Amino acid sequence: DAGVIQSPRHEVTEMGQEVTLRCKPISGHDYLFWYRQTMMRGLELLIYFNNNVPIDDSGMPEDRFSAKMPNASFSTLKIQPSEPRDSAVYFCASSLYSPLEQFFGPGTRLTVL
Amino acid sequence: EDKVVQSPLSLVVHEGDTVTLNCSYEVTNFRSLLWYKQEKKAPTFLFMLTSSGIEKKSGRLSSILDKKELFSILNITATQTGDSAVYLCAAVLNYGGSQGNLIFGKGTKLSVKP
């Protein structure tokens, strides 16, 4: 298995632009998580899905952030409009039966100028 | 507010040393504690601890949970330069809570010098 796949790996954009991050979980995994990591705040859980349904989005910072999981093999995290403070590494992770043992993707490094 | 605190923030040791990393937590509806190792890229899973007093071991790494005192430690014996990484712990909650299902500490950055 290729593991969790994220794209793009790096993105540099200008303030105000829409950003879409993509994730393909490990095949057969029921749970999918989106995290944000910064030096200041560490690793923060943004939202997670179980069987494609959002379970907890209390970590989503504000309305500019939205996440979807249209099917079991694909999820997106969208930021519109983006701001410089959104600059971070965004990780996607998936797990098989429970949120406990999660496998992380390589991350997307986002820079908003 | 639920929180997970790791100490020290960073640590520099020499190869062969033994290190102990600490993780304390104050969360509602605690379920389990996870340890991850993060090198240059994504975190990789090390241990899941659910019961108090039961040591988990994997090679030179071991970890234990104390649910009475609300902390966990991660031990690494005979450290090697390849152990250099940020070690993250996370508390898993039974319910969503105000910060979601999983709360991470800021990590301990371990540097092992040859």
Side-chain angles (χ1 to χ4, degrees):
Chain A
D1 197 313
V4 176
I5 299 172
Q6 291 187 246
S7 65
R9 296 293 303 277
H10 301 270
E11 175 139 4
V12 181
T13 191
E14 291 185 327
M15 183 173 64
Q17 297 297 306
E18 177 179 298
V19 173
T20 300
L21 311 181
R22 297 172 175 79
C23 175
K24 181 182 184 334
I26 293 172
S27 178
H29 279 196
D30 293 334
Y31 288 82
L32 183 139
F33 305 80
W34 281 103
Y35 291 90
R36 176 174 68 176
Q37 187 174 40
T38 62
M39 289 290 290
M40 290 294 292
R41 300 175 66 89
L43 195 62
E44 302 172 281
L45 176 65
L46 300 177
I47 185 171
Y48 78 95
F49 297 82
N50 179 213
N51 292 321
N52 313 339
V53 177
I55 302 301
D56 189 337
D57 65 355
S58 57
M60 295 285 263
E62 49 199 271
D63 292 345
R64 297 184 298 107
F65 285 69
S66 62
K68 294 182 180 179
M69 193 165 185
N71 57 61
S73 60
F74 182 66
S75 177
T76 59
L77 177 68
K78 188 176 290 187
I79 309 172
Q80 166 63 21
S82 58
E83 297 182 4
R85 60 191 168 122
D86 302 330
S87 297
V89 178
Y90 290 81
F91 287 104
C92 175
S94 70
S95 64
L96 185 55
Y97 296 122
S98 74
L100 297 179
E101 184 176 349
Q102 300 178 26
F103 294 85
F104 281 73
T108 295
R109 182 174 294 278
L110 173 65
T111 303
V112 183
L113 302 175
Chain B
E1 183 181 338
D2 296 331
K3 62 180 179 180
V4 174
V5 178
Q6 292 186 245
S7 64
L9 291 179
S10 69
L11 194 55
V12 180
V13 300
H14 286 97
E15 272 192 314
D17 289 350
T18 293
V19 298
T20 298
L21 310 183
N22 303 292
C23 175
S24 65
Y25 59 93
E26 290 179 33
V27 302
T28 53
N29 297 307
F30 175 83
R31 180 178 178 182
S32 299
L33 191 125
L34 309 178
W35 282 98
Y36 283 85
K37 177 183 181 181
Q38 185 174 24
E39 296 173 88
K40 290 187 178 179
K41 296 182 179 178
T44 53
F45 176 81
L46 293 176
F47 296 112
M48 179 183 76
L49 303 160
T50 304
S51 301
S52 240
I54 298 175
E55 186 183 52
K56 294 278 185 91
K57 282 183 71 76
S58 177
R60 295 176 294 102
L61 276 66
S62 64
S63 185
I64 198 162
L65 175 68
D66 186 328
K67 291 169 76 172
K68 182 179 178 184
E69 300 297 330
L70 308 183
F71 77 91
S72 173
I73 59 171
L74 176 68
N75 279 318
I76 309 174
T77 59
T79 52
Q80 302 171 357
T81 55
D83 296 327
S84 296
V86 174
Y87 290 83
L88 297 166
C89 75
V92 183
L93 312 183
N94 272 317
Y95 303 101
S98 62
Q99 298 174 49
N101 186 261
L102 214 72
I103 301 170
F104 278 85
K106 295 281 180 67
T108 292
K109 182 177 180 180
L110 174 65
S111 299
V112 182
K113 304 296 185 186

